[in-house]
Amino acid sequence: MNDGRYLAHGIGGAKDLPLSPELAIAGAVAALTVSFTVLAVAWRSPRYDAATSGRPAPAWLEAVVDSAAFRIALRVFGMAVFLWGAYAAVLGQDLLTNPIFGMFYVWLWVGIVPLSLFFGPAWKAISPVRTINLAFAKISGSDPDEGVFRYPERLGVWPAAIGLYAFVWMELVYRFSTELGPVRLWIAAYVAVMLLGGALFGNTFYERADPFEVYSSLVAKLSPWGRRDGRLIVRSPLANLDSVTVRPGLVAVMAVLFGSTAFDSFKESSPWVRYIQSSEVSVSLLNNLALLAFVVGVGLIFAAGTAATGVGSGTSRWSLPNQFAHSVVPIIVGYIVAHYLTYFVEVGQLTLIQASDPLGEGQNLLGTGDWSVNYWLSYHPTLLASTKVLAVVLGHVVGVVAAHDRAIKLLPKRHQLTGQLPLLVAMVAFTVGGLYLLFAA
């Protein structure tokens, strides 16, 4: 990996986008405004209810998915990939050609989105820490679902938000992020914390504190697969999105995911590069402050947009940000596609090639070592540009629909439309800012 792609995470931007940024931004804002107007006129009652929507999946499919053999196969797959990465991390060379960097930053972080989008909560099914915890429970004769203590409800998903921030900080800010030692340490700390948490609080800890499982499970709410009363069901992704469980810290998770993606583009933009080059302040400090500002800024803008409305006597204004946080999930997915599509496809292929030689000794253990990267996407910049802009716009439109449906459920009738205007303004700001950064990177 000598071309520095790992150092330029989220490759893409202006060179990929042969479109007018002004036209793209204007079109996106128009799409949001028109969507809201149509919803205001034609969508007067809630249409999505997680408790009643969907139909049972085909019996044969449910039998396969729920079979012990299928679940064991997924666990074996996840554990095999984890052990292969550990093999490369522990015994491999401290070079960018070591596949652990691609497995960590590309396959895991970016790949978790398409995997969960198409197949549901994928990380829960293949999580190596869940598998290790299960093995420990089998050996000790305990129940992996039960821990020593009950998980504190007030913590919600705050631990996952902290874990996600630790990852994006490592990836985007820490200047030694492409050295083997820090990556080893991060992974070791993650595994240790997860195993300790699983022992103390059981599998509930993974559902609410594992950063990758929380991330995967949120994205999976946009898949057509869901569960009700233990049964596998098929339903509209918007109906599935309505089933996001509202817990403390949900806005923080959304802010970290959304804000870090925006920062990833911002730190490659020409104005920021010129500023840090001319500043006498440490580049590391500036990037740390900028990442924090993006995450906190996104959270505050969203919270203000949702709380600035009238509420009924039985509803707390400050509960609204978490109640509406599910509407940010499609926006996050849209930005992940826009920022990391080329990166995932091309560097993901390169990682598979490098994985055949985990020790850097010229081996071809997986038979992929002599493959070559297909740069088809990069050779079709107009298609790539259109896909990226469409992903951002579609993500925001779906977010507006989800927020509108939730507003009709929660807000008093006199505030159901006017109360959404501050949130619409916030989403327009996110759209304009996101597309600007996409073109500026």
Side-chain angles (χ1 to χ4, degrees):
M1 188 63 186
N2 296 321
D3 60 359
R5 285 176 188 254
Y6 287 122
L7 300 178
H9 186 64
I11 56 174
K15 64 180 182 295
D16 286 331
L17 302 171
L19 301 176
S20 163
E22 294 81 7
L23 182 61
I25 292 172
V29 172
L32 281 183
T33 306
V34 170
S35 299
F36 176 77
T37 303
V38 171
L39 291 172
V41 172
W43 199 305
R44 299 295 183 88
S45 60
R47 299 189 182 185
Y48 299 117
D49 182 9
T52 59
S53 62
R55 63 182 186 276
W60 66 268
L61 180 60
E62 184 177 23
V64 170
V65 171
D66 289 342
S67 67
F70 184 74
R71 293 184 177 183
I72 291 172
L74 291 177
R75 288 188 180 277
V76 169
F77 170 76
M79 200 65 197
V81 175
F82 172 74
L83 292 175
W84 196 259
Y87 178 52
V90 173
L91 300 177
Q93 301 178 45
D94 191 3
L95 298 171
L96 286 176
T97 51
N98 190 316
I100 188 59
F101 294 109
M103 296 172 78
F104 188 52
Y105 292 126
V106 184
W107 285 5
L108 174 58
W109 184 245
V110 185
I112 208 170
V113 172
L115 202 61
S116 304
L117 197 59
F118 292 112
F119 301 108
W123 187 252
K124 181 178 181 179
I126 67 175
S127 168
V129 290
R130 271 186 176 262
T131 301
I132 297 171
N133 186 57
L134 177 62
F136 285 163
K138 293 291 185 183
I139 294 172
S140 63
S142 60
D143 184 353
D145 288 328
E146 298 294 331
V148 179
F149 305 105
R150 182 181 179 85
Y151 185 87
E153 291 295 326
R154 66 181 181 278
L155 285 182
V157 292
W158 275 106
I162 294 170
L164 288 167
Y165 192 88
F167 182 92
V168 298
W169 172 84
M170 172 80 172
E171 180 193 27
L172 302 176
V173 172
Y174 187 56
R175 59 178 179 162
F176 302 114
S177 62
T178 53
E179 292 186 6
L180 196 54
V183 171
R184 285 175 182 158
L185 181 60
W186 200 102
I187 296 173
Y190 162 76
V191 172
V193 171
M194 290 300 107
L195 294 182
L196 178 61
L200 292 177
F201 302 108
N203 284 335
T204 301
F205 182 80
Y206 300 118
E207 295 173 1
R208 304 183 191 179
D210 184 342
F212 303 120
E213 183 163 329
V214 170
Y215 183 20
S216 171
S217 298
L218 283 173
V219 174
K221 294 301 184 180
L222 282 174
S223 76
W225 312 108
R227 291 274 180 179
R228 186 167 61 240
D229 300 326
R231 298 293 306 274
L232 180 67
I233 60 173
V234 181
R235 59 186 171 196
S236 160
L238 275 166
N240 218 8
L241 192 60
D242 184 67
S243 69
V244 171
T245 303
V246 178
R247 291 193 175 98
L250 189 56
V251 170
V253 168
M254 301 301 183
V256 171
L257 292 172
F258 189 11
S260 63
T261 304
F263 170 75
D264 194 9
S265 283
F266 174 74
K267 74 186 183 74
E268 302 296 335
S269 65
S270 297
W272 182 246
V273 171
R274 287 195 300 268
Y275 175 74
I276 61 176
Q277 287 176 345
S278 62
S279 175
E280 297 180 357
V281 181
S282 164
V283 173
S284 177
L285 177 60
L286 289 173
N287 280 327
N288 269 285
L289 292 175
L291 173 61
L292 183 62
F294 266 85
V295 171
V296 173
V298 165
L300 289 177
I301 291 172
F302 180 78
T306 51
T309 181
V311 294
S313 57
T315 303
S316 167
R317 182 185 305 277
W318 302 113
S319 71
L320 293 180
N322 275 332
Q323 294 281 355
F324 281 93
H326 73 298
S327 65
V328 186
V329 175
I331 299 174
I332 291 170
V333 171
Y335 278 105
I336 292 293
V337 172
H339 287 281
Y340 303 138
L341 176 60
T342 317
Y343 182 79
F344 175 65
V345 171
E346 296 178 357
V347 183
Q349 293 177 69
L350 182 61
T351 301
L352 182 58
I353 296 169
Q354 294 170 340
S356 255
D357 185 21
L359 304 185
E361 297 176 347
Q363 298 171 306
N364 189 11
L365 300 178
L366 302 180
T368 61
D370 55 356
W371 291 6
S372 58
V373 177
N374 186 329
Y375 292 103
W376 186 87
L377 266 179
S378 291
Y379 294 150
H380 295 78
T382 301
L383 173 64
L384 184 59
S386 301
T387 302
K388 291 184 174 187
V389 173
L390 180 62
V392 172
V393 175
L394 184 60
H396 278 88
V397 169
V398 174
V400 167
V401 174
H404 179 79
D405 194 71
R406 181 61 57 88
I408 294 175
K409 292 180 182 178
L410 293 179
L411 302 183
K413 196 170 186 64
R414 65 183 182 278
H415 296 299
Q416 286 179 354
L417 295 181
T418 58
Q420 294 182 64
L421 292 178
L423 181 56
L424 177 65
V425 171
M427 287 193 171
V428 168
F430 289 155
T431 305
V432 173
L435 286 175
Y436 170 78
L437 292 174
L438 184 64
F439 280 92

